[in-house]
């Protein structure tokens, strides 16, 4: 891309970020930094859902280069190249609609990047100001303006952007698509944890007492285990999606008329290979797709068991009860939407809901982990 196109894209990213930044600026919230973080959480959730829509509509290569579209800042300017590619292969990955879906996804991602840069900039500015005043580590400064976490978020979102670029330049190679999705979910969890920390400084959680205090130790272990289990399932689900293995099993609870169908784990779970190919470059056998689908489907039982137990335990703790109810409801939604994608032959709306449910599980489980850790802690710890 030339410098003019890059400048055009940078201006577009600033314009995308301008609306949420304006909302923060005019807000009557006394802690605008906290509001910026939570708006970023909301937009990151939206980005994950729209990213699922991008992937499920096969729009990931709607613009086959990066960061622009045929070297241009937007599909309007690249209209001629897109139409030429579409005329050569009308059902291929490049169409005007798919190009716009892909570029909107990129613009939103760049806008969130700008918000995180703003977080980091404000944090360093406030930290420098307090350092000059001789009180750089005052309790309020640690949570609101300490630059360490926001700087980490900046580098993390740069890594996420690199995986987004590799997803395109490596032509949807499954390992990069999977990494991009898992990192997106991780960014959502990190932002939600940061928002919870700022909430704690704004309105400290009360100490748990009596039987609730004794139960918190078990809940913390369960919640941490639930986070690990959910991370594995997210990676498995991303692997299913990136390999287009959703309909490898067309019935439930059996698969291919058997509880344990013919499966090729070696090729299915070989990480470094092209889309639809084995590591040797041959076409991926259907039994490999069956293995990918079957593992994700059956590991869901582990997710339901561990996260369900976490919800049950947290339900009886005052500071966690509402989050536990949300966790239980989202688990039910995920189970239903997962089965529905099979019975209704993978309709787009249900598949997007399934991805949104996964992101919502990440949010709720992050807050349960945070609250279980800090519920009995001092206000500033």
């Amino acid at each position: 891309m030339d410098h003019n196109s890059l400048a055009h894209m940078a201006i577009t990213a600033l314009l995308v970020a301008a609306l949420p930044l304006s909302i923060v600026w005019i807000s009557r919230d006394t802690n605008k930094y906290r509001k910026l973080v939570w708006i970023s959480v909301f937009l990151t959730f939206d980005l994950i859902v729209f990213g699922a829509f991008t992937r499920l509509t096969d729009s990931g290569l709607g613009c086959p280069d990066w960061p622009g579209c045929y070297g241009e800042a937007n599909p309007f300017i690249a209209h001629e190249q897109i139409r030429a590619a579409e005329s050569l292969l009308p059902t291929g990955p490049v169409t005007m609609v798919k190009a716009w879906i892909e570029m909107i996804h990129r613009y939103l991602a760049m806008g969130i990047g700008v918000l995180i840069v703003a977080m980091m900039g404000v944090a360093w500015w406030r930290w420098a100001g307090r350092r000059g005043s001789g009180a750089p580590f005052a309790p309020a400064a640690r949570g609101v303006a300490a630059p360490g976490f926001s700087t980490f978020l900046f580098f993390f979102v740069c890594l996420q952007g690199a995986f987004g670029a590799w997803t395109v330049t490596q032509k949807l190679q499954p390992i990069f698509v999977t990494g991009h999705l898992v990192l997106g979910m991780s960014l959502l969890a990190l932002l939600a944890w940061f928002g919870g920390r700022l909430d704690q400084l704004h309105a400290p959680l009360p100490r748990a007492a009596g039987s609730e205090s004794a139960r918190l130790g078990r809940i913390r272990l369960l919640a941490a285990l639930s986070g690990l289990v959910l991370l594995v399932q997210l990676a498995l689900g991303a692997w299913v999606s990136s390999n287009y293995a959703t309909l490898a099993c067309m019935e439930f609870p059996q698969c291919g008329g058997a509880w344990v169908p013919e499966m090729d784990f070696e090729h299915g779970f070989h990480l470094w290979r092209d889309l639809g190919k084995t590591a040797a470059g041959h076409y991926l056998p259907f039994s490999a797709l069956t293995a990918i689908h079957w593992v994700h489907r059956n590991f869901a039982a582990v997710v339901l068991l561990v996260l369900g137990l976490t919800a049950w335990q947290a339900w009886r703790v005052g500071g966690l009860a509402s989050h536990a109810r949300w966790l239980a409801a989202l688990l039910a939604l995920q189970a239903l939407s997962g089965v529905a994608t099979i019975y209704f032959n993978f309709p787009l709306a249900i598949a997007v809901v399934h991805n949104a449910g996964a992101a919502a599980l990440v949010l709720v489980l992050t807050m349960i982990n945070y609250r279980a850790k800090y519920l009995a802690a001092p206000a500033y710890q």
Side-chain angles (χ1 to χ4, degrees), residues 199-212:
D199 285 348
Q200 166 77 352
L201 289 166
H202 182 75
L205 295 169
R207 288 176 178 270
S211 60
E212 285 190 354

Side-chain angles (χ1 to χ4, degrees), residues 217-266:
R218 296 194 300 273
I219 293 174
R220 286 187 61 182
L221 288 174
L222 277 173
L225 178 61
S226 294
L228 178 61
V229 167
L230 182 59
L231 177 63
V232 173
Q233 183 68 341
L234 289 172
L236 289 172
W239 196 244
V240 169
S241 181
S242 62
N243 283 280
Y244 296 88
T246 303
L247 296 181
C249 296
M250 297 288 289
E251 55 189 335
F252 182 85
Q254 290 188 317
C255 175
W259 291 104
V260 182
E262 179 186 354
M263 291 179 282
D264 182 349
F265 290 96
E266 179 183 357

Side-chain angles (χ1 to χ4, degrees), residues 145-306:
F149 196 85
S150 57
T151 303
F152 172 75
L153 284 174
F154 169 74
F155 286 107
F156 193 91
V157 82
C158 288
L159 177 63
Q160 168 71 337
F163 267 84
W166 292 328
T167 293
V168 177
T169 58
Q170 299 301 315
K171 307 303 178 187
L172 304 183
Q173 191 169 329
I175 188 64
F176 292 116
V177 177
T178 299
H180 190 50
L181 189 148
V182 171
L183 285 173
M185 293 288 192
S186 300
L187 178 63
L188 180 66
L190 288 169
L191 284 166
W193 187 277
F194 195 28
R197 180 69 182 120
L198 297 179
D199 285 348
Q200 166 77 352
L201 289 166
H202 182 75
L205 295 169
R207 288 176 178 270
S211 60
E212 285 190 354
S213 180
R215 192 176 296 123
L216 276 174
R218 296 194 300 273
I219 293 174
R220 286 187 61 182
L221 288 174
L222 277 173
L225 178 61
S226 294
L228 178 61
V229 167
L230 182 59
L231 177 63
V232 173
Q233 183 68 341
L234 289 172
L236 289 172
W239 196 244
V240 169
S241 181
S242 62
N243 283 280
Y244 296 88
T246 303
L247 296 181
C249 296
M250 297 288 289
E251 55 189 335
F252 182 85
Q254 290 188 317
C255 175
W259 291 104
V260 182
E262 179 186 354
M263 291 179 282
D264 182 349
F265 290 96
E266 179 183 357
H267 289 118
F269 287 93
H270 194 287
L271 300 182
W272 199 263
R273 56 177 174 78
D274 292 334
L275 175 62
K277 301 290 185 67
T278 66
H282 306 301
Y283 285 112
L284 197 67
F286 188 77
S287 56
L289 299 179
T290 303
I292 294 169
H293 180 112
W294 188 86
V295 170
H296 176 62
R297 175 191 291 193
N298 285 276
F299 195 76
V302 179
V303 175
L304 287 171
L305 175 64
V306 176

Side-chain angles (χ1 to χ4, degrees), residues 9-176:
M9 292 196 71
I11 292 170
T12 302
L14 291 172
L15 289 174
V16 171
L19 178 59
L21 287 173
S22 299
I23 292 173
V24 172
W25 184 260
I26 66 175
S27 169
R28 295 182 179 179
D29 197 318
T30 56
N31 191 332
K32 292 185 180 354
Y33 191 83
R34 181 172 65 106
K35 193 169 189 71
L36 172 61
V37 172
W38 280 114
I39 285 180
S40 299
V41 170
F42 172 76
L43 291 176
T44 301
F45 179 89
D46 293 341
L47 177 63
I48 289 171
V49 175
F50 194 79
F53 177 78
T54 302
R55 186 173 65 257
L56 294 167
T57 55
D58 294 327
S59 302
L61 294 179
C63 290
D65 55 337
W66 191 92
C69 193
Y70 287 97
E72 304 293 349
N74 62 63
F76 275 136
I77 305 174
H79 177 88
E80 184 177 341
Q81 296 95 318
I82 294 170
R83 288 303 185 197
E86 187 175 1
S87 64
L88 288 174
L89 193 61
T91 59
V94 179
T95 67
M96 186 58 70
V97 172
K98 290 180 179 180
W100 270 112
I101 292 173
E102 171 65 3
M103 288 308 297
I104 290 172
H105 176 64
R106 294 184 196 178
Y107 293 146
L108 181 56
M110 288 186 291
I112 291 171
V114 172
L115 296 183
I116 290 175
V117 169
M119 279 181 220
M120 182 176 66
V122 170
W124 278 105
W125 176 70
R126 289 187 178 182
W127 180 83
R130 286 186 172 87
R131 187 182 184 191
S133 68
F137 302 111
R142 286 209 309 266
V144 177
F149 196 85
S150 57
T151 303
F152 172 75
L153 284 174
F154 169 74
F155 286 107
F156 193 91
V157 82
C158 288
L159 177 63
Q160 168 71 337
F163 267 84
W166 292 328
T167 293
V168 177
T169 58
Q170 299 301 315
K171 307 303 178 187
L172 304 183
Q173 191 169 329
I175 188 64
F176 292 116

Side-chain angles (χ1 to χ4, degrees), residues 319-341:
L320 300 175
S322 62
H323 293 81
R325 288 191 288 270
W326 273 106
L327 180 60
L330 287 168
L331 282 172
L333 173 66
Q334 279 301 89
L336 289 173
S337 60
V339 173
T341 57

